[in-house]
Amino acid sequence: MTPDQINAAMKRVPLAFRDPPAVRLRKTALRVFMVGLFVYCLVAFNFSPERIWTGLGRLGTVVSFMFPPYIWTTWAEFSEILNGERFAEAIQ
Amino acid sequence: MAVITDPAFAPPANAKIDAFEAEFSEARKSSRRAWLVGSVLFFIVFIVTSWLGDFFRVTQMTMPDGSREWRWVIPAGIPRLGEFISKTIPELHWDTLGADIANWFWRWQIWLKLLFETILIAYMATVLGVIGGFLLSFPAARNLAPNKWALWITRRYLEIARTVPDLVWALIFVFCFSVGPMAGVLAIALHSTGALGKLYSEVNENIDMRPLEGVKAAGGTWFDQIRYGAVPQVMPNIISYTLLRFEINVRASSIIGYVGAGGLGAEFRVAMSFQEYTDLSALFVIIFVTVMIIDYGSEKLRHRIIGMEGVRA
C-alpha cells in the first residue's frame, strides 16, 4: 500500500474513511455542548485553583486526624516530665 | 400385555437389585437427614440473629389513648410507618385539583432551580468519574497492566475510592472545600471513579487479546495496544455502564445536599425539620420523574449507539 493508492481509495470511497458531513457536524456539536456544559458548571460552582489548593491542605489535616496521636513509649521521653523546668512550665 | 417367559429376557438376579434398592434408600435417608439437620440449624441461627437484632424486644409504648403499655416492637411499630407515609400524602380534591397541586408544589421555582443544579452536579461528577475510571481501568486489569505494582496501586486506590460512601466523601469535602456544589461534585466523582474503574477493568479482562498482539507485532507501544486493540472492543460496554452511572449519580446528588453539598438534598432537611411532610412526597415525585426520564433517555441512547456500531461493523 503506497500513499498514492491510499489517496486514490480515499477519493473513490470517501465515506469508508470518514463519516458523512451531517454525522460529523452532529458529533462535533455534541462534543462542543458537553465541553461547554462542563465549563459552565466549573464557573457556576465556583471551581478555582486556589479553592482546590486550600481544600487539599484541609484534606491533609482531616486525614492526619484519622491516625492515632503519638504517645510516648520510652522512659527517656517520659522522664522529661520530671525535669524541673518542664514541670514549672506545665503548672504555670 | 404379553408376559415374557423366555429366561433370556427375565430380570437379572434379584440379589443385585435388592442391594441397589437398599443402597439407594440408605442414600436417600442420609440426604434427608442432612437436609433436616441443615434446616433446623438454619432456623435456630435465624431465630438467634433476629433476637440479637431486637426483633423480639418488648418495650413500653404510648398508646393512641395516651396510656403506656408493654408491646412487641415490630407489630407496634409497623402501623407507625403507615402513619408517617400517610402524613406525606397531600390532600387532593377533584374540584380544586389545580389549586391543591399548586399548594403541594408551592416551592416549585426553588425546587426546579435546585433540580437543575442536582443534574449538573451528577453530570459533572459523571464526566470526572468516567475520565478517572477509564484511565485507571487499564492498569487495573490483570491482562493489560504494564507491571505488578501498577496493578496493585490502582486496584487499592479504586477500592479506597469506592469503599467510602459518597455521602461520607461529601461530609469530608464539605469540611475541606466549604459548603456548596463543588464539594458534592468531587465527592460523587471520587466514588464513581472507584465504582466505574472496577466495572471497566472487569470489561477489559474479558476482551480478546489477539488484536493487542497484532498491534504489538506491528511495533505498537503499550499505549498503541490499548488505544487500537482494547478500546474499540470495550467501548459499547463502557457507554452502557456510564449511562447507568449517570442515573445512579442523579439519585446520589439529590441526597448529598443533606450534608450541605448542593442540590435538592438540603430541601429534604428543611422539610424534615419543619415537619412539612407533604414537601417530602413532592420532592420524591420530582426525583422519581427525573430518574424515570433519564432511564428512558439513556435506554434510547444506548440502543442507538449499539445500533450504529452494528451498522458500521
Side-chain angles (χ1 to χ4, degrees):
Chain A
M1 265 294 191
T2 61
D4 291 340
Q5 280 173 315
I6 293 173
N7 285 335
M10 263 183 164
K11 214 166 270 173
R12 202 156 57 81
V13 276
L15 291 187
F17 289 87
R18 51 177 48 195
D19 292 327
V23 174
R24 248 188 304 159
L25 186 72
R26 210 170 57 211
K27 280 187 177 174
T28 316
L30 184 69
R31 276 171 203 160
V32 168
F33 171 73
M34 286 179 78
V35 172
L37 192 61
F38 193 82
V39 171
Y40 166 77
C41 290
L42 282 179
V43 176
F45 295 165
N46 288 326
F47 274 73
S48 69
E50 70 259 33
R51 200 174 160 200
I52 291 172
W53 185 246
T54 48
L56 286 178
R58 286 190 213 157
L59 187 65
T61 320
V62 172
V63 171
S64 73
F65 285 155
M66 288 180 191
F67 291 96
Y70 178 72
I71 296 169
W72 297 334
T73 47
T74 60
W75 174 244
E77 287 165 317
F78 267 115
S79 61
E80 281 284 304
I81 300 170
L82 300 178
N83 231 329
E85 282 169 42
R86 298 292 298 272
F87 189 66
E89 273 172 32
I91 60 169
Q92 251 174 17
Chain B
M1 212 176 107
V3 178
I4 300 168
T5 48
D6 190 344
F9 293 104
N14 280 341
K16 248 183 185 172
I17 291 181
D18 289 346
F20 168 74
E21 291 279 357
E23 202 177 309
F24 183 67
S25 75
E26 191 54 44
R28 280 284 289 267
K29 253 185 219 158
S30 88
S31 90
R32 270 190 197 147
R33 216 163 27 231
W35 194 84
L36 191 71
V37 169
S39 13
V40 167
L41 277 179
F42 177 78
F43 187 71
I44 291 171
V45 170
F46 179 73
I47 294 294
V48 168
T49 47
S50 18
W51 177 73
L52 285 175
D54 275 352
F55 271 63
F56 302 127
R57 199 157 63 106
V58 176
T59 186
Q60 264 202 348
M61 299 244 164
T62 309
M63 294 290 109
D65 61 356
S67 61
R68 299 282 285 175
E69 299 278 352
W70 288 91
R71 286 283 183 277
W72 287 40
V73 173
I74 299 274
I78 284 174
R80 303 285 294 270
L81 182 65
E83 220 173 278
F84 184 82
I85 291 173
S86 73
K87 268 187 192 170
T88 66
I89 294 170
E91 275 188 35
L92 297 177
H93 299 288
W94 188 244
D95 329 330
T96 56
L97 194 63
D100 281 348
I101 287 179
N103 199 28
W104 187 19
F105 288 91
W106 62 288
R107 268 164 84 85
W108 67 273
Q109 281 159 320
I110 295 171
W111 287 341
L112 221 57
K113 216 179 279 174
L114 286 174
L115 178 68
F116 184 62
E117 190 180 276
T118 302
I119 293 172
L120 286 185
I121 291 173
Y123 168 75
M124 217 174 164
T126 311
V127 170
L128 292 175
V130 165
I131 292 170
F134 185 72
L135 293 179
L136 292 178
S137 73
F138 297 107
R142 201 170 285 283
N143 54 345
L144 300 179
N147 50 47
K148 264 191 179 152
W149 56 264
L151 178 84
W152 197 87
I153 288 175
T154 44
R155 285 205 166 179
R156 296 298 90 78
Y157 172 74
L158 292 175
E159 278 160 14
I160 291 168
R162 72 170 180 276
T163 303
V164 181
D166 36 18
L167 201 61
V168 177
W169 279 131
L171 261 176
I172 296 172
F173 287 161
V174 163
F175 175 80
C176 298
F177 299 103
S178 79
V179 175
M182 182 179 151
V185 168
L186 294 177
I188 298 179
L190 189 57
H191 185 80
S192 14
T193 300
L196 285 177
K198 167 77 175 167
L199 290 173
Y200 291 171
S201 73
E202 281 182 356
V203 171
N204 290 340
E205 284 176 356
N206 286 330
I207 59 170
D208 181 4
M209 290 301 281
R210 282 173 294 187
L212 280 85
E213 283 162 15
V215 175
K216 193 177 187 178
T221 61
W222 185 78
F223 290 100
D224 292 334
Q225 289 178 49
I226 297 296
R227 171 65 189 86
Y228 298 107
V231 170
Q233 293 188 60
V234 298
M235 220 50 195
N237 272 325
I238 282 186
I239 288 169
S240 70
Y241 280 137
T242 303
L243 292 172
L244 171 69
R245 193 69 219 179
F246 179 59
E247 189 214 302
I248 294 172
N249 283 351
V250 168
R251 279 184 277 126
S253 65
S254 63
I255 203 67
I256 50 155
Y258 206 87
V259 295
L264 270 175
E267 286 293 308
F268 274 103
R269 191 169 198 160
V270 171
M272 289 282 250
S273 54
F274 287 172
Q275 306 199 345
E276 296 269 10
Y277 293 117
T278 55
D279 283 12
L280 288 181
S281 61
L283 290 165
F284 173 77
V285 168
I286 289 173
I287 292 168
F288 176 68
V289 169
T290 310
V291 168
M292 212 169 70
I293 291 170
I294 289 170
D295 192 28
Y296 179 79
S298 69
E299 197 190 329
K300 286 265 167 246
L301 190 63
R302 205 178 64 231
H303 282 175
R304 218 184 128 90
I305 291 165
I306 291 169
M308 272 159 60
E309 294 285 325
V311 166
R312 197 174 295 161

